[in-house]
Amino acid sequence: MTPERKKLGYWDLLKSWVLWSFYSQACYNYERMQASGFAHSMIPIIKKLYTTKEDISAALKRHLVFFNTEPNVGAMIHGITAAMEEERANDQPITDEAINSVKTGLMGPLAGIGDTLSQGTVTPILLALGIGLAKDGNLFGPVIYILLEAAVIWGIGYFMFFRGYKLGRTAVERLLEGGLVKDLITGAGIVGATVIGALTASFVGLSTPITITVGQQVVKLQADFFDKIMPQLLPLALTLGVWWLLNRRKSPIAIMGYLVLVGLVGSLLKVF
Amino acid sequence: MQITVFQAALIALFYYLAQSPWLMGMGYWTLYRPLIAGVVVGIILGNPTQGAIIGASINLIYLGFISAGGSLPGDPALAGYVGTALAIGSGIDVNAALALAVPIGLLGGLIWFGRMTLDAIFVHWADRYAEQGNTAGVAFANIVPPQILLFVICFVPAFLAVLYGPPAVKGAIDFLGAKVFHILIVIGGMLPALGIAMNFRSIGKGQTLPFFFLGFLLFVYLKLSIIGIAAFAVVFAFVYMHLHKGGMKSDA
């Protein structure tokens, strides 16, 4: 007898989207950005699909990793992830790596599209409309702005989330049929790692104002030395250093403590 | 006019709401904008029309405002709420309010840095709840402690700035400015290394390390956008898998 297929319903998905819309950035932070927001939004999905404590715990941990995207266009990732979780819960061979790679590979590009679309295009245009009216003291300006902005932003988020779920299911099903799961994992892993490398350069910031005087010559350590070897060398070294510590089984909390301490002492001593 | 304690508290509360999640994410898109902030402050102080006009002027500075990747070039909301309140309350004209709005926006940047740095603590709480398989705990850690923190660091400075006026704002900026700002920027710059390394560790089983470097190099040397780099990565992934399979299957 085959076990009954676990299936997500419309309300599970809607709940997930609403939770994400509310709390994506409730705990926004530099270390893992929207990680807890993502995990939070997956709770209705996780509760529907998994029953044992172990499975629920593993799923929560799976979604507590570094995540950052534009919340509305990026909601497509949540739809796809929900579809992948559904397959996984039905004993398809979808690993943590596969899910994480898909999320990581998509979050940057969708953030780029989303920021350009929502923050860069829609919002300024609607604001210009509202400001134009408000400048003459017309209070309909702000009201119109709020109504249009909410309709567009929520509209984008809803559409992308459900589109992602539909797309994710079909895409995942096709891959499973062709036995292409390994390819998916390898491919998504490559895309994910590449994006992560780029994020290291764009997100992590570290530089030094130290200057060394050699005789008559003043050498700026950052501009004349580090930048000459490679731009963003210090952020790269820092990230690889943290990665090395993690591989040495140091706890993330301890590492966070080190980082805060190094940053504090370093900036007081004018090293950074 | 004299701004009462109650009015100042109300304005500070709206400044918090602008950054809070309570409006289903819509705070950032509406209350956060100086245009709306101006109207809200105007209503609280009994002059919505003037509030709208001042808010609209302040908003012009921030029309091209984009927060990408969690970094904020100043804080339009604080500029909007405190700027409008000072303009109406102290009777300074719109241009003077604009001149004040920019440094106030910078002060708001400090609030942002503080929040983004301290919220990292609560993700570790969420980790602990996740370990126990406690879904309600994860939801709690995501909302309650960070929102209490956010409320405090938003409400207090906005309240004091509105109540005590321009001298208070200038004093606060001079007092906190350079040093605290710098320390927070340094720490805020370093912390993503942890999140990124943790994520990479969950993807990278050694063989993807070259691609990590590839992404990094494409960004620093070719200055490609993240979208562009991801597009290249897709091509590399296809080529990589094709070559990989080519050795085993001739029809690939």
Side-chain angles (χ1 to χ4, degrees):
Chain A
M1 206 183 113
T2 47
E4 204 178 311
R5 191 185 147 80
K6 297 192 186 91
K7 212 183 160 330
L8 294 170
Y10 175 76
W11 289 105
D12 304 315
L13 295 166
L14 187 72
K15 261 191 256 172
S16 173
W17 173 67
V18 169
L19 277 180
W20 171 248
S21 301
F22 264 100
Y23 304 117
S24 59
Q25 298 189 169
C27 184
Y28 206 19
N29 66 88
Y30 282 128
E31 186 194 311
R32 267 180 273 169
M33 312 304 275
Q34 302 157 346
S36 59
F38 196 105
H40 190 175
S41 75
M42 282 296 134
I43 288 175
I45 309 289
I46 293 170
K47 275 175 134 170
K48 181 70 175 264
L49 295 175
Y50 302 107
T51 44
T52 69
K53 219 135 203 130
E54 290 72 37
D55 285 347
I56 291 173
S57 168
L60 287 171
K61 284 198 271 185
R62 181 156 65 240
H63 294 300
L64 269 169
V65 297
F66 183 95
F67 184 81
N68 193 49
T69 193
E70 193 276 327
N72 303 292
V73 171
M76 180 176 242
I77 301 170
H78 299 67
I80 295 174
T81 307
M84 290 182 82
E85 286 289 355
E86 192 176 4
E87 295 301 323
R88 185 190 164 102
N90 287 296
D91 297 323
Q92 297 292 354
I94 293 176
T95 60
D96 290 8
E97 272 184 10
I99 292 178
N100 196 9
S101 297
V102 168
K103 282 168 62 181
T104 308
L106 287 175
M107 67 188 190
L110 289 183
I113 296 166
D115 284 334
T116 312
L117 185 71
S118 55
Q119 300 198 71
T121 312
V122 173
T123 305
I125 291 173
L126 294 180
L127 269 177
L129 181 77
I131 291 170
L133 291 170
K135 277 280 234 183
D136 302 327
N138 185 340
L139 289 179
F140 276 112
V143 173
I144 287 171
Y145 169 76
I146 290 176
L147 293 178
L148 290 177
E149 181 80 4
V152 173
I153 297 295
W154 278 330
I156 292 174
Y158 182 90
F159 175 80
M160 293 305 277
F161 186 98
F162 283 90
R163 192 84 219 145
Y165 176 70
K166 238 172 127 180
L167 204 83
R169 275 203 49 185
T170 46
V172 169
E173 273 167 12
R174 224 187 45 225
L175 285 168
L176 289 172
E177 279 162 20
L180 293 169
V181 178
K182 263 197 85 168
D183 283 3
L184 171 78
I185 296 168
T186 316
I190 289 172
V191 176
T194 313
V195 170
I196 280 279
L199 291 182
T200 303
S202 71
F203 270 65
V204 186
L206 191 63
S207 62
T208 178
I210 293 177
T211 56
I212 300 164
T213 313
V214 187
Q216 294 294 310
Q217 202 161 357
V218 179
V219 178
K220 290 198 196 87
L221 197 56
Q222 183 67 41
D224 298 331
F225 185 66
F226 289 135
D227 288 349
K228 287 276 152 58
I229 303 174
M230 184 193 282
Q232 298 292 89
L233 183 66
L234 290 179
L236 179 66
L238 180 71
T239 309
L240 289 175
V242 171
W243 182 59
W244 183 81
L245 285 174
L246 286 170
N247 284 335
R248 286 264 160 324
R249 309 234 160 262
K250 283 265 186 264
S251 88
I253 302 179
I255 297 175
M256 185 169 76
Y258 300 154
L259 290 178
V260 170
L261 203 68
V262 170
L264 183 69
V265 174
S267 44
L268 287 177
L269 295 177
K270 297 189 185 351
V271 177
F272 301 126
Chain B
M1 67 174 285
Q2 183 64 43
I3 297 179
T4 66
V5 172
F6 178 69
Q7 285 169 328
L10 216 49
I11 291 169
L13 180 69
F14 269 96
Y15 170 59
Y16 160 73
L17 282 179
Q19 316 221 37
S20 77
W22 305 120
L23 305 167
M24 197 167 147
M26 209 38 68
Y28 175 75
W29 302 99
T30 55
L31 287 178
Y32 197 75
R33 312 290 152 170
L35 170 67
I36 310 303
V39 180
V40 170
V41 171
I43 292 170
I44 293 171
L45 297 181
N47 197 340
T49 311
Q50 206 196 341
I53 294 169
I54 296 166
S57 305
I58 295 175
N59 209 145
L60 284 174
I61 308 175
Y62 292 101
L63 198 55
F65 170 85
I66 288 185
S67 162
S71 63
L72 274 187
D75 178 351
L78 194 66
Y81 285 96
V82 177
T84 309
L86 295 184
I88 297 179
S90 327
I92 52 178
D93 72 349
V94 176
N95 283 334
L98 284 186
L100 257 180
V102 175
I104 292 171
L106 281 177
L107 192 66
L110 187 71
I111 294 172
W112 177 262
F113 278 119
R115 164 209 189 164
M116 291 288 288
T117 306
L118 293 171
D119 274 357
I121 298 166
F122 309 123
V123 189
H124 295 273
W125 294 16
D127 284 342
R128 271 213 306 274
Y129 288 120
E131 194 70 54
Q132 303 159 1
N134 181 349
T135 51
V138 171
F140 169 85
N142 186 44
I143 304 176
V144 179
Q147 286 309 307
I148 293 173
L149 170 81
L150 184 65
F151 178 79
V152 172
I153 63 177
C154 285
F155 184 89
V156 173
F159 176 73
L160 293 177
V162 171
L163 200 60
Y164 293 108
V169 172
K170 211 185 160 302
I173 291 167
D174 291 346
F175 178 72
L176 287 173
K179 203 146 206 174
V180 178
F181 229 130
H182 181 69
I183 292 171
L184 282 174
I185 288 172
V186 169
I187 295 173
M190 289 170 74
L191 282 178
L194 177 54
I196 285 173
M198 282 168 73
N199 193 350
F200 182 56
R201 189 154 168 267
S202 71
I203 299 175
K205 286 272 193 282
Q207 64 167 349
T208 54
L209 189 61
F211 293 98
F212 172 86
F213 285 110
L214 180 72
F216 181 87
L217 296 174
L218 287 174
F219 190 92
V220 296
Y221 285 118
L222 299 186
K223 302 190 172 35
L224 297 177
S225 69
I226 302 284
I227 302 180
I229 290 170
F232 272 100
V234 170
V235 175
F236 290 133
F238 270 107
V239 173
Y240 179 89
M241 287 188 294
H242 198 74
L243 290 176
H244 217 65
K245 264 194 302 202
M248 295 176 282
K249 265 201 258 168
S250 51
D251 60 279

